Amino acid sequence: MENGMKNMNSPGFYNSSYNSNKQAKKSKGWLAIFVIVVVPILLCVILFLIFFFAAQIPPPKPYDHPCLASAEANRSQLTSMFRKIQYAYFHELHPESIHEMAGVTPEDIRRTFRPYDPSPNATMNRTDRAKELFDELNNLNYNVSLLKLRERKAIHVARAILRNNFGWTPLGQDYYNGDWLLGPDLFCYQPVCSVLKKLNGALSFFKPRNITELEKLRLFFQEYNRTLNRYVDNWKLGIRAGYVRNKEGCQAGLHAIKNVEYRRMTIKEEYGIYDEPLAKVLLHSGFFEHLSDSDNKTWKEIHLVDVTPFFNRSLVQDIAKPLVNLLRYLEQEHFKSCPSETFLNGLGKLPLGTEFADHSQPDGSRPTTQKLPTGQPLSGSKTFETLLKYFTTLEITPTQLREQASKILHQLYDEAVDIAKKYTGQEGNTTAISEFKLALQHVNMSFNIKGFPGNESDENAFRLCVMGQNIRPVLDSLFYTEGDKRTIPSCPVDVVPFYHPYSSFHSYYPGSKDCKIKATQELPFFLDKFGPKWTEYTTTAHEQLPGHHLEVQSYTEFFQDDCNDAIHWLAKPNFFAAMTEGWAAYTEGELLPKRTNLYLNTGNKQVLLQKYGMIFYQILYALRTIVDIDINWNKGTLAQARKMYDKYIWTDDPDFVNKDFARFLSFPGISTSYMIGQLKITQMRDLVKKELGQDFQLKDFHYEVLRQGEYPLPYLEEHMRAYISCRKNPHQVGCTEFS
């Protein structure tokens, strides 16, 4: 055929067609087998591979920006609760601090700011409102594992400050606690000590623009007159209620408020106000520049004097004179009502049954009420229990804490005796201790044999000699020095004198993130014997690296967020004593002795002395806990406390001991924070090590402790248990922020 088609009638055609049909049927059979058997197997393999590799991919983070709230915080109303707490603090209960609120407008400041109200009714209202918010926060239902770490921490911080009635400092905040009746404390941490500071911060926002605002400023100054007089009335109520400190405690508080907080007023009396920043703002020619000539004329017609001279006088009459009168009252009247040690030691014996006329003269004709103004009974022991919760951040009783301290004290004492034997070569305890005391108390053991030698006491002696040669080199194995987990700060520490005659201890203040404001270690200046030299390693470690400076400054430099939200506000104060002092005590007493070779060469007597210096302070932390509890809760006496110090503290320096006692009497509770904080951090480290086994890394543990700054101890345990869980199973919910 021309077209090449085959003849369908030919035999070959049928044979070919038959074979093709046969092959087609065979192909269909294989296809059916492939579809029924092979394809499902392939699908199973593909699905398995998909699920296998998907399991290796970490789940996407539920948020993009660290400042955004988690979905769970929004769902549970936790985010709005944080805002509510912040609003209540600044707008309702502490309007004197409104200018410190992030994002606040000048109009908000002018509308809201007013002096702190220390009246009993206002103090009670703040206490009750804080309790309401505390209960409301605790009644929220949320899944902690779905919250961000900063939200989890904020819950614990909010609980702590609300339980203390919006106080990051413990004294003078709780109406029912009664401590607002006692007068100023050793560190002047009460609101009365920040009256001028708050006004200094806000006054520049009150430049008057018209006669109405000028009149508001006049009334505003008069409120300060009432505020300062109200403090005096409160302390008089305290005397009538039998709620005063003893003579030594009152004296320490008097010094703090007169010579530290209001030193200018003490030196120049009311005219010292002109040296305050607020006077320089108010009397500057630009403060009243927005007033018109008509406003000035109207003001003079009403008040018979020009605007600037009027407020110059008001500054003295309404603020300076009431403040000077307050200081005079404390010194000339209130101080006489503070009983001597014979009649009163700490809080444990309050309230007194009668008023005192002159320290040692109880006035039987003037019995005390022993009650708050609203009739509730006062109890010094219960006041201490409240303070103990603040400083430890734990639900622990004084009895439980004292038992722990007593056990630790006896263990440490045995270690001290062993060092005494090794140092002296004596085998008997009594002889070894006696000879060792003589060595410790030798005049050469103090820095100030003949004044303060520059090569021994200036900042280089601590920062270069102790830090550079001894402590800094051993830190690399304990902390990350670079990368995202770095915890050793860049900013240095300056060593400066601390001019407080009732202080026997070093102190630390953090610097700024950019190092422009330097951190400082403050050395107590007014000590009869400065030192001793054998505590140099441990005090430097406590205050600098790896103690306070590492813990506080590393958070400031590397981890603190810049979110302008309520959580940032909650985290910003950066001080919980049990965490701060507990960390420092942990590094000097647990970390350096057991994880480095700092004290290893005990064949060297100088090293042996430094090791004793470390144990000396560990003994002090336990002993101070016991004595603080005894005189402020157990109704113990200072005479009993001195016997304990004589046994456990091998020093002949009564000045050191007396200044320790001043802290118990004027700032009860804070001494309990060191030991309990150290115990909790050590306990958590041991727990993490036990749970993770070979995967435990000490650097990682320290990073987890430090990266969230300051927080109550219950959050430390919550966070570490979450860390353990996420290290074991990193793909579970709530582990996206754990590396």
Side-chain angles (χ1 to χ4, degrees):
M1 305 292 292
E2 290 183 356
N3 59 5
M5 290 183 67
K6 291 185 179 180
N7 186 352
M8 293 178 65
N9 294 322
S10 66
F13 175 82
Y14 289 103
N15 289 336
S16 175
S17 177
Y18 172 79
N19 290 333
S20 297
N21 289 336
K22 188 176 180 181
Q23 289 177 356
K25 289 180 180 179
K26 190 174 182 180
S27 297
K28 289 180 180 179
W30 282 110
L31 180 61
I33 293 171
F34 181 80
V35 171
I36 295 171
V37 179
V38 178
V39 170
I41 293 174
L42 288 174
L43 287 174
C44 289
V45 171
I46 292 169
L47 289 172
F48 172 79
L49 292 174
I50 289 172
F51 284 113
F52 176 79
F53 286 109
Q56 309 307 310
I57 302 172
K61 293 183 179 181
Y63 45 83
D64 297 319
H65 193 280
C67 296
L68 293 178
S70 66
E72 178 65 5
N74 289 333
R75 182 205 64 78
S76 64
Q77 302 298 310
L78 187 61
T79 303
S80 60
M81 187 68 213
F82 289 145
R83 294 195 194 107
K84 186 174 184 178
I85 292 170
Q86 184 184 32
Y87 183 90
Y89 179 86
F90 286 110
H91 288 269
E92 298 174 20
L93 307 179
H94 289 277
E96 78 282 357
S97 300
I98 184 66
H99 57 287
E100 299 169 4
M101 183 178 180
V104 69
T105 66
E107 285 300 323
D108 285 336
I109 295 172
R110 286 191 287 270
R111 182 170 54 251
T112 305
F113 183 89
R114 62 184 182 276
Y116 178 86
D117 185 354
S119 67
N121 281 340
T123 304
M124 183 169 61
N125 289 338
R126 282 190 294 270
T127 304
D128 292 342
R129 180 63 175 137
K131 177 65 166 56
E132 290 173 4
L133 292 168
F134 180 83
D135 292 340
E136 189 174 344
L137 174 62
N138 284 343
N139 287 332
L140 293 181
N141 293 313
Y142 46 80
N143 185 338
V144 173
S145 63
L146 297 178
L147 298 175
K148 290 184 177 184
L149 293 185
R150 67 192 300 264
E151 293 165 343
R152 302 179 197 183
K153 170 190 167 184
I155 293 170
H156 287 268
V157 174
R159 283 175 181 161
I161 66 164
L162 289 173
R163 185 165 60 182
N164 193 49
N165 308 296
F166 278 114
W168 278 275
T169 56
L171 301 178
Q173 306 286 343
D174 188 333
Y175 173 78
Y176 304 103
N177 210 28
D179 56 304
W180 54 276
L181 297 166
L182 292 171
D185 62 84
L186 174 66
F187 298 109
C188 218
Y189 275 6
Q190 296 145 302
V192 66
C193 301
S194 60
V195 172
L196 294 188
K197 290 177 184 175
K198 298 296 184 180
L199 183 54
N200 285 339
L203 186 60
S204 61
F205 293 97
F206 285 88
K207 289 184 177 182
R209 295 164 294 186
N210 51 55
I211 199 74
T212 301
E213 292 183 355
L214 203 56
E215 183 64 20
K216 183 178 180 180
L217 189 64
R218 181 184 72 84
L219 297 174
F220 181 60
F221 274 28
Q222 289 180 356
E223 282 190 63
Y224 276 92
N225 192 326
R226 290 189 290 272
T227 290
L228 293 165
N229 288 330
R230 182 66 252 185
Y231 279 115
V232 173
D233 291 340
N234 286 350
W235 298 328
K236 289 179 179 179
L237 283 175
I239 293 172
R240 291 197 292 272
Y243 236 56
V244 294
R245 305 182 197 279
N246 84 341
K247 180 181 177 181
E248 290 75 13
C250 286
Q251 198 165 22
L254 178 62
H255 168 80
I257 195 170
K258 279 189 60 183
N259 301 320
V260 178
E261 295 302 329
Y262 297 120
R263 181 171 54 88
R264 298 181 182 98
M265 314 299 291
T266 299
I267 295 172
K268 297 183 179 180
E269 296 193 327
E270 58 261 35
Y271 298 106
I273 196 71
Y274 294 121
D275 294 330
E276 293 289 340
L278 68 95
K280 296 173 183 178
V281 171
L282 180 72
L283 302 180
H284 189 273
S285 58
F287 191 81
F288 299 106
E289 63 185 356
H290 299 304
L291 294 173
S292 66
D293 292 340
S294 175
D295 291 332
N296 280 289
K297 183 178 179 181
T298 302
W299 185 267
K300 188 172 183 179
E301 289 174 353
I302 298 172
H303 298 283
L304 306 178
V305 65
D306 288 332
V307 171
T308 300
F310 177 91
F311 281 97
N312 189 337
R313 184 178 63 190
S314 179
L315 191 64
V316 173
Q317 295 295 327
D318 293 321
I319 298 177
K321 282 191 174 181
L323 182 52
V324 170
N325 289 338
L326 178 150
L327 299 176
R328 285 175 182 161
Y329 165 77
L330 284 170
E331 184 170 28
Q332 297 174 10
E333 296 183 48
H334 189 269
F335 182 58
K336 294 178 181 178
S337 299
C338 302
S340 67
E341 178 184 328
T342 304
F343 298 94
L344 177 65
N345 293 288
L347 292 175
K349 292 187 177 181
L350 292 181
L352 298 170
T354 63
E355 295 183 26
F356 276 71
D358 190 9
H359 303 308
S360 58
Q361 297 178 14
D363 188 346
S365 67
R366 301 171 70 181
T368 61
T369 66
Q370 303 188 18
K371 294 179 180 179
L372 289 165
T374 46
Q376 295 89 340
L378 286 163
S379 167
S381 294
K382 289 184 178 179
T383 295
F384 181 75
E385 289 174 8
T386 303
L387 295 175
L388 186 67
K389 288 180 181 179
Y390 170 81
F391 284 116
T392 65
T393 67
L394 297 172
E395 293 292 337
I396 189 170
T397 68
T399 299
Q400 291 169 332
L401 186 57
R402 194 189 188 284
E403 288 174 354
Q404 291 186 45
S406 182
K407 180 180 178 180
I408 291 171
L409 179 62
H410 289 106
Q411 292 172 347
L412 291 167
Y413 182 76
D414 290 342
E415 292 183 36
V417 172
D418 288 341
I419 288 180
K421 290 179 178 179
K422 191 165 188 176
Y423 187 89
T424 62
Q426 298 291 340
E427 295 183 1
N429 288 4
T430 303
T431 305
I433 292 172
S434 179
E435 291 187 12
F436 190 51
K437 280 184 177 180
L438 291 176
L440 294 174
Q441 296 166 7
H442 193 277
V443 65
N444 288 332
M445 291 298 178
S446 296
F447 285 106
N448 56 330
I449 304 170
K450 297 178 180 179
F452 288 85
N455 65 335
E456 293 183 345
S457 62
D458 65 9
E459 62 182 82
N460 287 331
F462 281 81
R463 191 167 65 212
L464 299 181
C465 180
V466 179
M467 289 303 304
Q469 296 179 16
N470 299 296
I471 297 178
R472 181 60 182 84
V474 305
L475 299 183
D476 290 356
S477 63
L478 306 174
F479 303 94
Y480 287 107
T481 59
E482 58 186 7
D484 293 340
K485 294 184 178 181
R486 177 179 177 179
T487 48
I488 295 183
S490 303
C491 300
V493 184
D494 274 355
V495 179
V496 298
F498 182 34
Y499 300 109
H500 196 310
Y502 292 92
S503 175
S504 63
F505 41 85
H506 297 234
S507 54
Y508 170 82
Y509 287 91
S512 60
K513 184 174 184 176
D514 58 7
C515 307
K516 290 182 179 179
I517 300 174
K518 290 186 178 180
T520 56
Q521 177 185 351
E522 295 187 337
L523 279 62
F525 183 80
F526 294 106
L527 281 178
D528 292 345
K529 296 180 180 180
F530 183 76
K533 292 179 181 178
W534 39 266
T535 63
E536 192 173 14
Y537 283 15
T538 199
T539 53
T540 305
H542 184 103
E543 302 297 339
Q544 296 191 22
L545 301 179
H548 288 324
H549 185 59
L550 186 145
E551 184 242 342
V552 178
Q553 189 67 29
S554 67
Y555 175 70
T556 301
E557 289 185 32
F558 307 130
F559 305 119
Q560 188 174 37
D561 65 53
D562 56 0
C563 308
N564 285 327
D565 61 0
I567 293 179
H568 179 81
W569 164 69
L570 285 168
K572 194 174 182 181
N574 207 35
F575 178 75
F576 283 97
M579 181 66 194
T580 298
E581 302 300 350
W583 170 263
Y586 161 79
T587 60
E588 63 170 313
E590 184 71 27
L591 194 60
L592 292 180
K594 299 178 182 179
R595 294 284 181 163
T596 74
N597 59 2
L598 189 63
Y599 301 109
L600 192 61
N601 185 18
T602 53
N604 182 323
K605 284 197 170 184
Q606 294 305 312
V607 174
L608 193 61
L609 282 173
Q610 292 295 335
K611 184 175 182 179
Y612 172 74
M614 177 271 297
I615 293 175
F616 170 84
Y617 268 99
Q618 296 295 301
I619 287 174
L620 263 180
Y621 301 149
L623 181 59
R624 284 169 173 167
T625 298
I626 293 170
V627 173
D628 205 344
I629 291 171
D630 281 354
I631 67 172
N632 287 306
W633 188 75
N634 272 336
K635 300 183 180 180
T637 66
L638 292 180
Q640 293 168 335
R642 287 191 180 92
K643 288 182 180 179
M644 294 192 71
Y645 266 68
D646 287 343
K647 177 179 179 179
Y648 293 105
I649 302 301
W650 298 340
T651 175
D652 65 342
D653 187 0
D655 180 53
F656 177 88
V657 175
N658 289 335
K659 285 171 179 173
D660 248 23
F661 288 0
R663 180 153 62 159
F664 303 139
L665 297 169
S666 190
F667 206 77
I670 192 170
S671 297
T672 65
S673 60
Y674 295 70
M675 185 200 75
I676 192 64
Q678 176 183 352
L679 285 176
K680 193 66 177 179
I681 294 171
T682 303
Q683 178 189 359
M684 289 299 101
R685 184 203 61 194
D686 293 345
L687 175 67
V688 175
K689 185 176 181 180
K690 176 184 176 182
E691 292 293 327
L692 297 186
Q694 293 182 346
D695 291 333
F696 173 77
Q697 293 290 333
L698 187 59
K699 287 183 178 182
D700 283 330
F701 171 75
H702 290 154
Y703 165 72
E704 292 297 337
V705 172
L706 296 167
R707 67 170 168 143
Q708 293 191 76
E710 295 286 320
Y711 43 81
L713 293 180
Y715 179 65
L716 173 65
E717 180 165 355
E718 178 185 300
H719 180 70
M720 286 305 162
R721 291 189 181 279
Y723 169 67
I724 292 168
S725 179
C726 289
R727 282 294 304 273
K728 290 181 176 181
N729 183 6
H731 307 304
Q732 64 182 306
V733 173
C735 295
T736 54
E737 292 184 86
F738 291 98
S739 57

